[in-house]
Amino acid sequence: MRLAPLVVPLLIPLIAAARPAAPSAQGLTVVERLWVKPLWGSVGGLGWTPDGSALVAGTGTGSVFSISPEGVGLWTRGVGSTVTALSLSGGTILVGTDSGILAAYDESGGISWSADLGIPVYSLVPVPGGWIAAAGGDLLYARNGSVAPVGVNLSFPPRIVSGCGGRLVAAGPGAAAIIDLPNMTVSLTVDLPGAASSLACGPSGVALGDDEGMLTVVEGNSTLSFDLGVGIEALSWSPGDLLAAGLADGRVVVLTPTGEVVWNSTSPSPVTTLAWDPSGSLLAVGTSSGWFYVYTGAGTESHRVDLGDRVCSLSWSPDGSLLAVGTWDVHLFAVSRPGFRLEVSPSPDGSALEVLVSVSPPLPSPLEAVVSAVEGGVEVARGPVLISGGGGTAGLNLTLPPGDHALAVRLLVSGKEAASRVVEVSVPPSVSGAASWSRGRLRVNLTVVGGPLSGRLEVSESGRTLARVDLNLPEGNSPLEVPLELPPGDHRLSVAVTGRWGGLWEGEVSAAVRGFSVLASPSGEGGALSVTVSADPPPSPGETLNLTLRLSEGGVEVWVGRVSLSGPSSHLEVPLELPPGDHSILVEAVSGGEVVASTRVEIRAPGGPQILPYAGLVAAAAVGAAAFRLRRRSTDAELKLRILEEALSGRDLTPELVASRLGISRSRAARLLEELREEGSLEG
């Protein structure tokens, strides 16, 4: 059915006051009541037309009023029962009632369409092409008088519905659902400990409050929950990403989406409604006892008044210059903004704030003011600022412990707050360290104080980066080792630790790098080797370098000796006792337990055993006496005998065990085991 409009004249005259003149640039926030218009019943819904030319109010006695900003009644319509939902969009005013009436009006009061749902309408939100209504226990889509279920299966009866960007949020007893538009599919369901009592959308996501005091913030598909202790009656999210919660015990808590409390206040009765202005610089709060407050974004009370009756609704005009408050009357307040504005830039390390103060219009004469930084109600920094012409600059030094901080920065003129800004400051942990160079490796010992550190260690020389290491260090001492491949010579290395705050520690270390090389070739017919070891740079005058020379074949040492360098190179002849045949000898120079140079040489041992005398070892005159030892390579027969001895001891023989026990390579051990099995000497 269509609902015929019921025309009711405005019988009660307007209690009006002239709109105040705009304050001077040096004036502070001024909230002044322009007029009061008594209506028939509690004003449960308020909203402005998009251009701010009219204020629309819905009452508990079933009337809808349109009033100009000057307080002139434009039109009144009756809908028959308590107005429970009011929504304005695209020149249309949609009203829902507790008896199930939906009525759509144009801005001049003409009825566009109506429908009788027969079930209570709890909440309305505009969507492309129409409205979504939370009515009865379902979500309905309303358009041009046609109403139908949206077809979304929810596990709870929705009571609150709101649009958040391209998504719809519905909440009710024990749960809430995030619904993607326009396909109307549930992308996320959030369980709540109590019944949903409030809902707000903001830059970081969706906030849900319930009657048990749990605040749940949904960002993407992740949630954070905060227990505020008592029922949450109202939520509002500012454009500056601050979330305000009004509680049943009269508190107002303003916090970041991550749960850090920026400020709070207390009133003597439960909060019923609250709303940020369009700029996010002022917060209006209403209570059940009729007290009405306006706070700055930093938590300073700018205005309070006892309106006498329960505050049911609040609505800011689109430009934020007017604030409508609904009780059993409509009160309209003019809000004159301060002419001051703050831009706050923290230093990368959190040790200072740079505060830029701007004012419009420019001041005719200089003004002395104060900039104050407050955290958790405690002032942490204060400094003077001289505002001349269009603005001024102040610097504040901070002494904050490591971690993340939310500071309320305030401009105080004559002791009163003229402007405010909330800024997040991150203070890095303290980092100290020491660096040293040893055997081709950079060793860095870092000490972190004030929390864990995520950052990067960078090693450079003459501006060229040599190594980068990602750091995730706990608080305390952490030794690090960075292998570097540097060319021979003397180096001056720069070591720096950086994080998201910038540079945290710098150090320098000298690194002397000496390169070695080994040349080896067969010498004569008896299986000897001619070996030359060189150093770059060579030893200093009077300096002697001692190295170990190691020769091996198949992992088995066949000769070990010492070579000393007092010049660029040293030469020696190494006799070897090798079985007849071809051999591949690995020649290694070792310093400090590490191989610093190596080469491989192929050599043929003549047939028949050949023992070279000790006198066959000849060293160059520049080389000191070399200590050495000879080792004969065990034959396969000798090794097989030792393997059988091991088998008799009951051991389970593997190539790895045999190689370890006999000091031979794994491949040779595997071959010998296979041959013993083929010969029948071993089983399995």
Side-chain angles (χ1 to χ4, degrees):
M1 60 174 285
R2 296 184 65 83
L3 179 67
L6 174 65
V7 179
V8 181
L10 291 174
L11 300 178
I12 304 175
L14 172 70
I15 304 172
R19 184 176 296 201
S24 68
Q26 296 186 36
L28 304 181
T29 302
V30 176
V31 181
E32 185 170 350
R33 182 157 43 192
L34 298 180
W35 48 257
V36 181
K37 183 175 285 296
L39 300 181
W40 305 319
S42 59
V43 182
L46 282 173
W48 291 87
T49 57
D51 61 359
S53 62
L55 174 68
V56 180
T59 71
T61 53
S63 297
V64 181
F65 298 85
S66 178
I67 310 167
S68 75
E70 292 74 29
V72 177
L74 302 177
W75 52 264
T76 305
R77 301 290 182 263
V79 290
S81 60
T82 298
V83 174
T84 52
L86 178 69
S87 178
L88 287 77
S89 177
T92 299
I93 302 160
L94 187 63
V95 177
T97 73
D98 63 352
S99 65
I101 298 297
L102 280 180
Y105 302 93
D106 59 31
E107 291 185 4
S108 62
I111 186 81
S112 299
W113 57 266
S114 66
D116 188 351
L117 306 182
I119 52 177
V121 178
Y122 302 113
S123 183
L124 293 168
V125 62
V127 295
W131 272 266
I132 297 293
D138 206 352
L139 292 179
L140 306 177
Y141 178 67
R143 179 180 182 183
N144 296 331
S146 174
V147 181
V150 299
V152 176
N153 293 322
L154 299 177
S155 61
F156 58 91
R159 293 291 185 267
I160 311 172
V161 63
S162 181
C164 295
R167 301 192 296 178
L168 186 72
V169 183
I178 310 296
I179 303 169
D180 292 333
L181 297 174
N183 55 0
M184 291 294 179
T185 57
V186 176
S187 61
L188 182 68
T189 299
V190 180
D191 292 328
L192 304 175
S197 55
S198 51
L199 188 160
C201 300
S204 293
V206 179
L208 301 160
D210 67 25
D211 57 5
E212 297 290 332
M214 187 63 68
L215 173 62
T216 301
V217 178
V218 183
E219 183 176 359
N221 290 326
S222 63
T223 62
L224 289 174
S225 296
F226 313 101
D227 189 356
L228 300 186
V230 297
I232 301 171
E233 302 294 328
L235 290 172
S236 183
W237 209 324
S238 79
D241 217 16
L242 290 179
L243 183 59
L247 307 183
D249 62 0
R251 286 181 295 142
V252 174
V253 180
V254 176
L255 62 164
T256 67
T258 58
E260 184 173 358
V261 175
V262 179
W263 59 268
N264 57 64
S265 67
T266 302
S267 60
S269 58
V271 174
T272 54
T273 181
L274 46 74
W276 289 99
D277 76 323
S279 70
S281 60
L282 294 174
L283 178 67
V285 178
T287 69
S288 62
S289 63
W291 279 97
F292 161 65
Y293 306 84
V294 176
Y295 296 94
T296 68
T300 300
E301 184 182 296
S302 178
H303 181 79
R304 73 158 67 187
V305 63
D306 185 0
L307 302 179
D309 294 308
R310 178 187 180 93
V311 179
C312 303
S313 53
L314 297 167
S315 184
W316 291 89
S317 64
D319 64 359
S321 64
L322 299 172
L323 173 61
V325 183
T327 58
W328 278 74
D329 310 317
V330 172
H331 305 253
L332 190 69
F333 294 85
V335 181
S336 301
R337 296 296 195 283
F340 299 95
R341 181 178 177 83
L342 298 181
E343 294 293 336
V344 184
S345 301
S347 62
D349 62 358
S351 64
L353 296 177
E354 182 182 33
V355 183
L356 176 64
V357 182
S358 59
V359 58
S360 178
L363 302 180
S365 59
L367 173 69
E368 293 182 355
V370 172
V371 176
S372 170
V374 176
E375 182 179 28
V378 178
E379 186 175 70
V380 296
R382 168 183 285 251
V385 58
L386 181 64
I387 305 171
S388 180
T393 303
L396 296 181
N397 293 323
L398 302 174
T399 305
L400 299 172
D404 295 327
H405 304 265
L407 303 184
V409 182
R410 304 184 300 161
L411 175 67
L412 304 177
V413 177
S414 300
K416 296 183 179 180
E417 183 177 305
S420 63
R421 188 86 175 210
V422 175
V423 62
E424 293 189 351
V425 177
S426 181
V427 180
S430 171
V431 181
S432 59
S436 61
W437 175 264
S438 177
R439 297 181 180 178
R441 293 180 181 271
L442 174 65
R443 290 177 169 84
V444 183
N445 196 60
L446 296 178
T447 301
V448 180
V449 177
L453 169 66
S454 294
R456 172 176 287 181
L457 183 143
E458 185 169 302
V459 184
S460 62
E461 182 179 24
S462 301
R464 182 173 65 92
T465 300
L466 303 178
R468 289 190 178 97
V469 179
D470 290 332
L471 301 177
N472 286 290
L473 305 180
E475 185 170 12
N477 185 265
S478 295
L480 305 172
E481 191 173 272
V482 182
L484 294 174
E485 294 185 5
L486 300 175
D490 293 328
H491 300 266
R492 190 67 176 171
L493 304 180
S494 297
V495 187
V497 175
T498 60
R500 58 190 173 100
W501 313 269
L504 300 176
W505 175 78
E506 292 183 352
E508 286 191 343
V509 62
S510 296
V513 179
R514 176 172 278 118
F516 294 91
S517 62
V518 176
L519 296 176
S521 60
S523 176
E525 299 294 334
L529 287 181
S530 177
V531 181
T532 300
V533 180
S534 302
D536 180 22
S540 304
E543 180 185 12
T544 299
L545 302 178
N546 294 311
L547 291 83
T548 299
L549 190 64
R550 183 170 64 202
L551 281 66
S552 61
E553 182 181 21
V556 177
E557 291 180 354
V558 297
W559 188 89
V560 176
R562 182 173 298 278
V563 59
S564 298
L565 286 82
S566 56
S569 63
S570 292
H571 178 80
L572 55 89
E573 295 289 327
V574 180
L576 298 175
E577 181 183 352
L578 300 172
D582 294 328
H583 300 268
S584 179
I585 305 299
L586 176 64
V587 183
E588 297 172 306
V590 180
S591 177
E594 296 184 3
V595 176
V596 295
S598 66
T599 188
R600 185 174 292 275
V601 62
E602 306 298 325
I603 187 172
R604 170 168 293 180
Q610 181 180 7
I611 305 297
L612 297 183
Y614 175 83
L617 175 63
V618 181
V623 182
F628 64 92
R629 58 187 170 87
L630 299 177
R631 178 183 295 174
R632 183 177 64 82
R633 177 183 172 107
S634 299
T635 65
D636 286 354
E638 292 171 334
L639 293 174
K640 287 180 180 180
L641 181 60
R642 292 180 62 188
I643 291 173
L644 292 175
E645 291 174 350
E646 293 288 337
L648 290 174
S649 66
R651 291 187 175 87
D652 184 13
L653 298 182
T654 63
E656 290 79 9
L657 177 61
V658 171
S660 173
R661 299 284 295 178
L662 303 189
I664 61 176
S665 67
R666 183 189 180 283
S667 60
R668 190 178 184 189
R671 177 176 61 80
L672 293 173
L673 285 170
E674 183 63 27
E675 290 178 2
L676 285 170
R677 292 188 182 99
E678 291 176 355
E679 295 168 0
S681 301
L682 284 178
E683 295 183 355

